[in-house]
Amino acid sequence: MAFVVILMLTAMVLAGARYLPGRLSALAGPHQMTVALALPLIGTFGLHYAIFAACVIGLMLLAPGFGRSGLVLPGPGALDLRCRLFLLCLPLMPMMVYTIAIGGLTFAQFTYVHLLSMGLLLAMLMAGERIYHPRLLQWDILLILMLIVQAFMDCRGNDLTYSVRACNQVILNLGLPYLAISRAFIRSRSPNDLMLSVVLGGCILALIVTFEAPRHWLLYDTMPQGIGADPELSSGYAKQRGGLLRGRASFPESTGLSLLLGLDVVILVALRRHLGSRLTFF
């Protein structure tokens, strides 16, 4: 039943946002509704992590939307839409860690963020875009230096096989999300819309965590088990204040969620004029 509640709350936020004046209503279209509702479904009924991974990547590649005319699949060149979907979907699911082990040795650990990032980068390649961008060269160099430092810290004093696995994880955890997010912003015609997509995702989680707190019900707690992902190590049930559960929605900890919601408030204040709504009083 948890996934039904997630679907209802998600639909309430996105449907309500469409009636708001200003820019947020344009960012809560049928594609956002379709993808945001599809993610909990495949996370609950995906059966196996490989199916879940294929569906997440496929959502980024196809960017489907159900409107009055039925199923709408935008062309490969609709990268702005896919970038907005990427930023909206980033916080909407648990990490969904899946460990790939060979001969008892961990080779790599994939997460939901990795899958989204791969989907967006593949969509860019299918649209004929190059991953390299000259305006990001200095930041790419800084990233490479950071990867080298992090790999050195992880590999020193360890054998070759462990070092290879550690380097794989450094690239996945740091390099892949950086490539997706940086290329999304540098190629977007309206980077402000990408930031507002993050706010929209935060609004969904805010309503979900408001539902969780008084009912002591973590809606995403058992979702990773349904697709064979690694179980979550932390539990929000140990953190209660004043009889209310410190809900965490899709985050591992309530503290991380509070940081996202605080960032969303800052984004709203910074982009208040971009909203184009009389609801902004300052």
Side-chain angles (χ1 to χ4, degrees):
M1 285 297 295
F3 79 94
V4 176
V5 178
I6 295 172
L7 294 178
M8 292 176 59
L9 297 178
T10 301
M12 286 173 57
V13 172
L14 292 178
R18 297 183 68 175
Y19 292 97
L20 291 176
R23 191 61 190 152
L24 276 178
S25 61
L27 299 177
H31 298 277
Q32 283 81 358
M33 179 72 79
T34 302
V35 174
L37 295 181
L39 285 172
L41 287 175
I42 62 177
T44 304
F45 301 107
L47 299 179
H48 193 274
Y49 198 88
I51 299 175
F52 173 77
C55 290
V56 171
I57 295 174
L59 287 175
M60 286 292 100
L61 290 175
L62 298 177
F66 282 95
R68 295 180 179 178
S69 58
L71 177 63
V72 178
L73 296 176
L79 288 180
D80 269 9
L81 172 62
R82 289 177 171 86
C83 291
R84 292 195 297 269
L85 290 175
F86 173 75
L87 269 297
L88 169 69
C89 294
L90 265 181
L92 293 188
M93 292 288 284
M95 288 300 290
M96 299 293 203
V97 180
Y98 184 77
T99 301
I100 298 178
I102 301 176
L105 298 176
T106 300
F107 179 74
Q109 287 183 317
F110 286 97
T111 68
Y112 165 71
V113 176
H114 299 155
L115 302 176
L116 273 184
S117 301
M118 286 188 285
L120 181 62
L121 292 174
L122 285 174
M124 291 181 179
L125 292 174
M126 291 180 64
E129 296 282 344
R130 296 177 59 189
I131 300 300
Y132 169 76
H133 199 286
R135 290 171 57 189
L136 291 172
L137 178 59
Q138 58 182 346
W139 300 106
D140 292 346
I141 294 175
L142 286 176
L143 173 74
I144 293 173
L145 293 176
M146 183 181 70
L147 293 178
I148 293 174
V149 172
Q150 185 64 49
F152 173 76
M153 293 172 60
D154 291 344
C155 298
R156 60 179 179 176
N158 293 294
D159 56 33
L160 178 61
T161 56
Y162 179 89
S163 299
V164 171
R165 298 195 303 271
C167 290
N168 287 340
Q169 211 55 45
V170 167
I171 294 173
L172 286 174
N173 291 343
L174 300 178
L176 192 58
Y178 164 80
L179 283 177
I181 294 174
S182 62
R183 272 55 186 176
F185 276 94
I186 202 68
R187 286 181 166 83
S188 175
R189 297 186 181 92
S190 179
N192 289 341
D193 284 350
L194 299 187
M195 300 301 294
L196 290 179
S197 295
V198 176
V199 172
L200 200 57
C203 290
I204 295 173
L205 295 188
L207 184 59
I208 289 175
V209 78
T210 302
F211 178 90
E212 289 180 337
R215 293 167 179 82
H216 293 229
W217 185 10
L218 296 177
L219 297 176
Y220 292 89
D221 200 41
T222 59
M223 186 176 289
Q225 303 172 17
I227 58 170
D230 298 349
E232 297 281 349
L233 298 179
S234 60
S235 175
Y237 288 111
K239 296 187 175 182
Q240 300 186 27
R241 296 293 185 274
L244 293 176
L245 175 71
R246 292 183 64 183
R248 54 188 173 94
S250 59
F251 275 62
E253 288 286 345
S254 56
T255 305
L257 176 60
S258 66
L259 292 175
L260 172 68
L261 298 181
L263 176 63
D264 288 338
V265 174
V266 174
I267 293 173
L268 280 175
V269 174
L271 300 181
R272 59 190 183 277
R273 301 189 185 280
H274 179 72
L275 287 174
S277 170
R278 293 184 179 179
L279 293 177
T280 55
F281 298 103
F282 50 91

